[in-house]
Structure formats: C-alpha cells, structure tokens
C-alpha cells in the first residue's frame, strides 16, 4: 500500500523586544519539488510513501512576524494542503518560538488550521526546536512530536527523521500513538542550558533511556524560548507513545528532573561584562580568542546591527580584531558606491533598530562581495587595526566559510568577534579561549530584567519561592 503524506511548515523564533518585524523577504520559502530536493528534507523518499510537498518557510530568528506576512504564508500553505487531499498523514517541520503581531500561540494557530483541513482521523507529526514553546492547544492537534536533543543544534536532521519515521510507522503498523506533556515553570536562556554542559548534558542523555520504556516512542525536554513575553513561555516535557499512563509517567519524571536541576544551570564559556571580556582578550597570547556578542545574536532573535563591541575596540585601539558581522545595508551600499580601496567616513550600526548604538568611523574598503543582488551584498572594511564584515541582510557569521569567503582565516585571527551566544559547532573547537560578553540587545542575557508583563507566574528565575509538582496532561485526541 502507498501512503499519501503531505509535508510543510514554518520555522523561526521571534524576540518580542525587537522592533524589526519579519516580512516575506526574510524567509527562504521551499515549495513543491524545491522542498523535496532540499538537503534538510532529503530523508523523505520512501517506497511506501507518495510525497506531497506543500510549503516550508524558514527565516533567521528576529522580531515578530508582520501579521500580513504570517497570514499570507498560512493561506498558501492551507490552499496547498486542501489541494493535496485525500491524505494518510501530515508532517510539519516547525520551530516553536514564532511570534505574530496580535496573536498568541502562532504555532497553535498554524497546526490547528492544518488539523481542521485534514480532519480528525489523519495522524499529524511535528518536529520542533528544543527552544520552542508548547501549549495544550498544540498538543491537542498532534499524534507525534519530536524535538532537538542538542544545543548547539547538531541533530536537526536526526530529529526530523525521528518525527517522520514515527509517522510512517503508525501508517505501516496501524499503531496509534498519542502525545502527553508536563509544563515546567522554568524559563532559562539557551546559553545557560547548552547540552554540552551540565546539568543539561545528563538530562538530555537520559532521554534515550526514557525512549526504551514500554509504550513510549519518543521523549523530549523543551527548554522553551525566554525572549518572547507571552503566556505560553515555559519549559516542558513532551512524550509520544502508545501507552497513555506510561507516557504521562515519563513526562512527569522528565519535568521533575528539570525542575530539580534549575539552580545548577550556568553559562558554559567564560562570561562577563564586555569590558572584562576585552581585558581578558587583550592579555591573552593564544589565538584565536573568540568573543560572543550575546545580546545581539541574530540566531536567537537579536537585531544584529549593534556597534557596541566595535566602539569598545576602537576606544582601546585594539589591533588584529575581526568582527563578523554587523547588519547595515546603507553602510554596505556606501562601500559599493566608493569602491574597493576607497577610504570614506562611515556610520556603522543602528540601521534597523533606532535603539542600537552606531559608530562614526573612517573606514577603508578592502573587499566587496555581490553574490546575488543588493540584499545579499557584503562589504569588508578596516577601521584602524579592526576588520569589520558588513552585511546588507540580517545573518549570522557562525561558519568557517563565512570568513574564508573573504580571505580571512579565523584560526589566525587575534580576536574574532561574532554575534552569538554559545559558539557554533564549527567555531567552538578553535576558540582559545571562548568568551561570552553580556552585551545589551533585544536578547539580553539579564533575563530577570526582561519585559515581563504577560508570562505566567510564578516562573523561575523570575520567581523563586514557590513549589512545583508535575501535572502531566495528554492530548485531547488520546482517548
């Protein structure tokens, strides 16, 4: 028998403190055959499955989605979903921390709308980032759930395969799984819950043991997303299984273990105020020192246009630093107008968020990169002994190739500054040492001082003097 399975979704995370709304041009959208040929979805072909690719929209994290942007993607997705009927299954590749103007629980809205199209009898599977937020509304629409187990995320494909394989399994065997979850009133940043550091490492290592419990298919621990001031923000345990009591018991055990470990979470790298981190960098002989500008990290929802670190390095007359990178399209366009080799007065930073600090400098243009039109342009400039990579579009610089593209060898740099929290899997191994600066920005690590008007209380670490007992709940679909 051949099963008809539709595939699609939407994947991003959004800081509600960012004033920069996401628009359609911020997304990479895969439709039809392009979705099936994308590397992330290359595991899909199966001799028992007829694939029906819909739409998958993915963006670098940022501010909330403009309502019209979200509604446009949703309407197109639903039209494609309706056109694919009848179906045997639906797989949704999600993130879980999307925020939309004027809407709470955007993923709940998206998944509920999909469920209303496919009807109550079709199994729906979803894969999530462990920094996503979950609600009862989401759980009530799903039959299968799987989330990343690593941060930094090195198991994205593996997680998608887990969700997909469970969906195919239920169709092939006739077994009907369900989802149970247990919210945990803890909300910590990813930088304090990296799975490479304790206690998260042991908590996530234990998930495979929970998978082996009879009646349990897949166990998950969700850290949640702290930089969205919304009621659904919380950690939780989510379990897929065929035995409701077993799944609820495992969810309760995972939730309890996270609660009991809440005070043990720490930053992994050497961390402190920018001045202290630059003092260390200036006195360090090994290279490269890699400094994470944590408050402006675009992969966590930061704007990416702040020049705090650049100003601090200029003030120190620092020699041998590379900053990758600062988003500033007007500055990039000015560099292209001037040409390589030109020296020009340049304002760097503050191009997107009026609250972001800028730097007024004399810059020399050393390289112009125009790979695919104005929005993809980059310019490399020097300001004294500092090299700065400027980008026309918000983006991270977390891979070695982001630098070697411009003739820069990260391993040979005295100080490499990246807008990041914990370092990426490519940069972390070469850092000597890895430093994280507690800089300002819309994903500031000082979470106790974040805007906190809509989160449910009590919640650790915003509140500390309260007790918690897990109360697992199952999907309304799990009869």
């Amino acid at each position: 028998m051949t099963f008809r399975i539709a595939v699609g979704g939407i994947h991003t995370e959004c800081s509600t403190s960012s004033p920069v709304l996401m628009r359609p041009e911020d997304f990479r959208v895969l439709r039809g055959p392009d979705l099936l040929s994308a590397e992330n979805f290359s595991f899909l072909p199966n001799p028992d499955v007829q694939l029906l690719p819909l739409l998958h929209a993915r963006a670098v994290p940022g501010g909330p989605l403009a309502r019209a942007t979200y509604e446009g993607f949703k309407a197109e997705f639903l039209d494609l979903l309706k056109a694919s009927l009848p179906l045997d299954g639906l797989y949704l590749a999600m993130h879980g921390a999307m925020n939309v103007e004027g809407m709470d629980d955007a993923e709940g809205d998206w998944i509920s709308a999909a469920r209303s199209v496919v009807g109550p009898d079709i199994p729906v599977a979803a894969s999530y980032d462990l920094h996503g937020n979950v609600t009862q509304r989401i759980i009530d629409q799903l039959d299968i759930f799987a989330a990343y187990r690593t941060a930094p995320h090195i198991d994205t494909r593996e997680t998608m395969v887990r969700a997909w394989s469970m969906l195919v399994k239920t169709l092939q065997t006739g077994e009907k799984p369900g989802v149970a979850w247990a919210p945990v009133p803890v909300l910590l940043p990813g930088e304090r819950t990296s799975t490479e550091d304790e206690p998260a490492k042991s908590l996530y290592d234990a998930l495979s043991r929970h998978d082996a419990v009879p009646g349990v298919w897949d166990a998950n621990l969700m850290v949640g997303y702290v930089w969205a001031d919304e009621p659904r923000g919380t950690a939780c345990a989510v379990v897929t299984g065929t035995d409701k009591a077993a799944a609820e018991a495992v969810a309760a055990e995972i939730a309890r273990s996270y609660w009991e470990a809440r005070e043990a979470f720490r930053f992994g790298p050497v961390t402190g105020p920018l001045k202290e981190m630059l003092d260390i960098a200036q006195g360090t002989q090994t290279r490269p020192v890699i400094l994470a500008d944590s408050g402006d990290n675009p992969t966590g929802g930061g704007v990416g246009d702040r020049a705090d670190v650049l100003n601090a390095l200029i003030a120190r007359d620092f020699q041998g630093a590379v900053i990758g990178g600062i988003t500033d399209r007007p500055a990039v366009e000015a560099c292209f107008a001037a040409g390589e080799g030109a020296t020009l007065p340049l304002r760097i930073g503050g191009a997107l968020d009026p609250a972001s600090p800028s730097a007024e400098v004399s810059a020399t243009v050393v390289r112009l990169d125009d790979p695919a039109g104005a929005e993809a342009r980059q310019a490399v400039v020097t300001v004294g002994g500092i090299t700065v990579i400027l980008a026309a579009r918000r983006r991270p610089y977390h891979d070695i190739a982001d630098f070697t593209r411009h003739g820069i060898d990260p391993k040979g740099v005295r100080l490499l500054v990246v807008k990041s929290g914990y370092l990426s899997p490519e940069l972390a191994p070469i850092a000597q040492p890895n430093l994280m600066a507690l800089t300002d920005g819309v994903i500031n690590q000082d979470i106790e001082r974040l805007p906190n008007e809509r989160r449910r209380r009590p919640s650790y670490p915003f509140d500390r003097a309260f007790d918690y007992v897990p109360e697992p709940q199952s999907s309304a679909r799990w009869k």
Side-chain angles (χ1 to χ4, degrees), residues 20 56 97 99 105 123 129 143 156 278 298 348 358 367 405 435 470:
V20 185
H56 190 263
N99 181 274
D105 194 13
D129 188 307
D143 304 279
T156 301
L278 290 181
I348 297 176
S358 60
R367 187 176 190 277
R405 178 183 183 90
L435 308 175

Side-chain angles (χ1 to χ4, degrees), residues 314-371:
I314 291 171
R316 290 171 178 253
D317 192 26
F318 200 100
Q319 302 295 306
V322 171
I323 299 178
I326 298 176
T327 303
D328 192 327
R329 183 166 178 174
V332 171
E333 291 177 347
C335 291
F336 269 80
E340 290 185 0
T343 298
L344 71 159
L346 201 60
R347 181 178 185 269
I348 297 176
L352 294 173
D353 183 354
S356 294
S358 60
E360 301 287 344
V361 302
S362 175
T364 299
V365 182
V366 296
R367 187 176 190 277
L368 298 173
D369 186 22
D370 190 3

Side-chain angles (χ1 to χ4, degrees), residues 3 21 25 58 68 88 91 105 131 151 162 175 186 225 236 269-270 279 294 324 425 434 440-441 462 470:
F3 302 105
L21 296 179
E25 58 268 22
R58 180 166 184 159
D88 297 297
Y91 167 50
D105 194 13
H131 298 125
R162 280 165 42 216
E175 295 181 88
V186 174
Y225 182 69
C236 65
V270 176
D279 287 345
S294 64
N434 169 10
D440 290 330
F462 307 103

Side-chain angles (χ1 to χ4, degrees), residues 120-169:
D121 300 327
I122 301 303
V124 177
S127 57
Y128 261 55
D129 188 307
L130 65 85
H131 298 125
N133 291 323
V134 179
T135 63
Q136 187 67 43
R137 184 185 187 191
I138 291 169
I139 297 296
D140 284 345
Q141 312 306 317
L142 296 176
D143 304 279
I144 292 164
F145 182 96
Y148 303 168
R149 294 179 173 181
T150 62
H153 306 315
I154 57 174
D155 66 335
T156 301
R157 177 189 171 90
E158 179 182 337
T159 301
M160 296 170 74
V161 170
R162 280 165 42 216
W164 172 252
S165 298
M166 286 188 284
L167 179 58
V168 173
K169 177 180 177 180

Side-chain angles (χ1 to χ4, degrees), residues 178-194:
V179 182
W181 78 307
V184 190
V186 174
L187 201 53
L188 295 169
E191 287 72 15
R192 279 165 58 182
T193 52
S194 169

